[in-house]
Structures are given as C-alpha cells and as structure tokens.
C-alpha cells in the first residue's frame, strides 16, 4: 500500500475525512418553505381573492350582455369588448385588471412577511441555527415568493378561462393585428401572457423582500410594500414625470398585450423584463447586504 493510500485509510478510520462544503441551494429547504407558505390560510385567502376577480368580471359582462348592451365600452378594462364573442379574452382582461393592484398586493403580502414575519414570530433565529445560513435562507424566501408570483398569475388565468368557457363561446382568437389564430394557439398565447405577467412581478418581489429585512414587523413590511406600490403607480400617471417613468417598475407591465400581435412586438416586453431584472438585482443585493449583517435577536 502506498503512503498516500495509507494516509487516506488513516483519515477514514479516524473519521477525519474533510466534509464537502454545504451547498448554497437546498431543494429540501425550498420544498419545506413552499409547502409551509401555501398551507397558510392567508395565502389560500389571497389565491381565493385572485380567483374571484375573473368570476366577478365575467358575471358582470354577462349581465350587461343580457340587458342588451355590449360587453364593454370605451374606458373599460383592456380586451373586455371582445369577451362576449370569445371567452378566451376573459383571460387577457382579468390579467389586465389584476396586474395593476391585486397581483402586486398579494406579492407584497407574501414578500413583506417572508423575513419580518419569521422575526416577529421568534422563529428566524432557529431557522438560521438549523443550519440554513443567511444567504441560503434569503434565496429560498425569494424563490418561494417567485413561486407565488407564478401560482397567483396562473390562478387568475385558469379561473378566467373556466369562467369564460362557462359564460361565453370559445373559438378562434382575433389578435390585435387583425390576424385570426386557432383556439389551441390562442391558449398557448394566453399561457405565454401569464408567464410574462409573472415575470413582471419579479421587481415587486425583490422590493418586498428587501423591506422585510428592515423590520421585525410583518404587517409593517407588507403595508410599506403595498404603499410604495400605490405611490409608484400614481407617479407613473403624472405627465410631469414623463422623463423618469420608464425607470419605474410598473411602467411596462401592460406590455404583455404585445404577445397578441402577429408578429409579436418584443421591444416593450424586453424593456419590461430588463427593468424587472435590474430591480431584482438592486433590491436583492440590498436585501442580502442588510440580512447578512443584521443582528438577529428573534
């Protein structure tokens, strides 16, 4: 036996073999966090509210149609005038209705409570001792929030599709460019739009996570996130701030409508995704810097 083999055998016998470094990512921790988040009554209530919005919109359009009026009019939500002719458009309408407030508000609640809620409940210290590690815990919390972004968006889309199929006819989808496509392709575009809407919420999720690292009150973090969301959306409507509006995270949110064109207009979509990536990088880094240097007392 060579000297190297003897040294290795001695290390094995002594139980002194070096351990591999702990991975930064853990599917077990992520699975546990996602399961815990989606079992909470608050999360289920948020999803129920999101699922209820398309039902209310569809019933309202159906009632108006039954009274002999058109399903939509000028100044109404996007795509609502086409809902009575094709129930698939209820998906696009519902996403346009929920994106400015309902979806971001729900994301703000989940993200704002992610770290602050653990600190308030006295479980944050135990999570770090588990050991989860601060960076890994922060990544898992953010990934869980992004998962809720996708699930919340799909909840709206599926509820709208089911409601639209029950209340209105389904058929070929006429795009904004005037081209008609088969129903199957229209459903694929609806799925792509749901994905684009979910990606549009990446910035809000990062902001909420950062605010959650600043306080030990989950309610304060949630309220601040929602308040900031409302403030920024108001600023995005003021003509005097036209120069800075392209840098506000909700400015390109409705660019998902460009997926209903033939060919697809990618310019606004690319700006939206790029802007969300910048917000995620900036506020994600800020959250990491704050959380990894924070004195955990609870």
């Amino acid at each position: 036996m060579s000297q190297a083999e003897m040294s290795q055998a001695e290390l094995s016998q002594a139980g002194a073999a070096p351990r591999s470094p702990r991975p930064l990512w853990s599917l077990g921790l992520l699975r546990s966090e996602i399961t815990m988040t989606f079992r909470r009554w608050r999360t289920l209530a948020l999803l129920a509210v999101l699922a209820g919005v398309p039902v209310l919109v569809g019933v309202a359009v159906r009632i108006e149609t039954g009274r002999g009026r058109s399903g939509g009019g000028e100044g109404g939500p996007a795509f609502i005038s086409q809902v009575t002719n094709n129930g698939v458009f209820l998906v696009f309408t519902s996403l346009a209705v929920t994106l400015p407030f309902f979806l971001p508000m729900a994301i703000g609640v989940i993200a704002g409570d992610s770290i602050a809620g653990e600190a308030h409940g006295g479980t944050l210290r135990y999570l770090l001792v588990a050991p989860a590690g601060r960076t890994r815990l922060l990544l898992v919390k953010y990934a869980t929030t992004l998962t809720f972004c996708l699930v919340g968006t799909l909840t709206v889309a599926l509820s709208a599709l089911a409601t639209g199929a029950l209340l209105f006819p389904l058929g070929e989808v006429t795009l904004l460019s005037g081209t008609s496509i088969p129903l199957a392709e229209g459903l694929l575009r609806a799925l792509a739009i749901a994905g684009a809407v979910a990606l549009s919420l990446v910035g809000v999720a990062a902001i909420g996570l950062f605010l959650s690292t600043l306080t030990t009150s989950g309610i304060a973090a949630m309220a601040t996130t929602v308040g900031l969301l409302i403030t920024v959306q108001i600023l995005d409507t003021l003509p005097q701030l036209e120069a800075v509006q392209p840098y506000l995270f909700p400015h390109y949110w409705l660019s998902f409508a460009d997926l209903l064109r033939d060919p697809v207009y990618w310019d606004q979509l690319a700006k939206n995704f790029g802007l969300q990536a910048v917000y995620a990088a900036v506020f994600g880094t800020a959250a990491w810097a704050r959380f990894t240097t924070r004195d955990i007392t609870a």
Side-chain angles (χ1 to χ4, degrees):
M1 181 181 294
S2 65
Q3 184 177 358
E5 291 174 339
M6 292 177 61
S7 300
Q8 183 63 35
E10 291 174 356
L11 285 174
S12 300
Q13 292 175 359
R19 294 182 178 181
S20 58
R22 188 173 60 197
L24 185 62
W25 192 250
S26 172
L27 290 179
L29 181 61
L30 176 62
R31 183 167 53 249
S32 175
E33 182 66 27
I34 290 177
T35 301
M36 182 179 64
T37 298
F38 283 91
R39 282 182 176 178
R40 290 172 178 164
W41 284 107
R42 178 180 57 210
T43 304
L44 297 177
L46 289 172
L47 292 175
V49 170
L50 292 175
V53 173
V55 177
L56 292 176
V57 173
V59 170
V61 173
R62 183 66 178 179
I63 292 175
E64 289 298 302
T65 304
R67 292 177 179 176
R69 302 177 184 177
S70 60
E74 295 183 0
F79 311 110
I80 198 169
S81 59
Q82 292 99 327
V83 170
T84 54
N85 299 323
N86 194 337
V88 176
F89 278 93
L90 186 59
V91 177
F92 313 138
T93 301
S94 299
L95 290 173
V97 169
T98 55
L99 182 55
F101 181 72
F102 292 101
L103 275 170
M105 181 194 69
I107 301 305
V109 170
I110 299 298
D113 191 57
S114 57
I115 299 296
E118 300 284 4
H120 180 73
T123 56
L124 183 56
R125 178 185 294 179
Y126 297 103
L127 280 175
L128 295 177
V129 173
R134 299 196 182 197
T135 300
R136 185 163 58 153
L137 180 61
L138 195 67
L139 286 172
V140 166
K141 291 288 187 180
Y142 187 56
T144 301
T145 305
L146 295 183
T147 301
F148 183 84
C149 292
L150 181 60
V151 172
T153 303
L154 290 177
T155 297
V156 173
L158 292 175
S159 175
L161 182 60
T163 304
L166 289 173
L167 299 180
F168 308 102
L170 299 178
E172 290 188 345
V173 177
T174 302
L175 303 178
L176 298 178
S177 55
T179 307
S180 294
I181 59 176
L183 176 60
E185 185 177 344
L187 294 177
L188 289 177
R189 296 226 182 190
L191 181 61
I193 286 175
V197 170
L199 288 175
S200 298
L201 300 169
V202 168
V204 174
I207 293 172
L209 183 68
F210 168 65
L211 294 174
S212 186
T213 64
L214 300 179
T215 179
T216 58
S217 172
I219 295 177
M222 289 184 284
T224 304
T225 304
V226 174
L228 179 63
L229 167 69
I230 296 173
T231 301
V232 172
Q233 295 215 67
I234 292 175
L235 296 177
D236 197 39
T237 63
L238 299 179
Q240 295 83 356
L241 299 178
E242 183 178 358
V244 300
Q245 286 171 352
Y247 303 100
L248 302 178
F249 60 84
H251 186 71
Y252 298 105
W253 272 356
L254 296 181
S255 62
F256 71 80
D258 289 338
L259 289 170
L260 288 176
R261 301 183 187 276
D262 189 21
V264 174
Y265 293 175
W266 292 105
D267 183 54
Q268 299 294 310
L269 286 165
K271 289 181 179 179
N272 180 34
F273 299 152
L275 187 62
Q276 301 307 318
V278 170
Y279 271 88
V282 171
F283 284 94
T285 302
W288 175 83
R290 166 62 179 168
F291 189 56
T292 53
T293 58
R294 174 178 168 180
D295 184 19
I296 305 298
T297 59

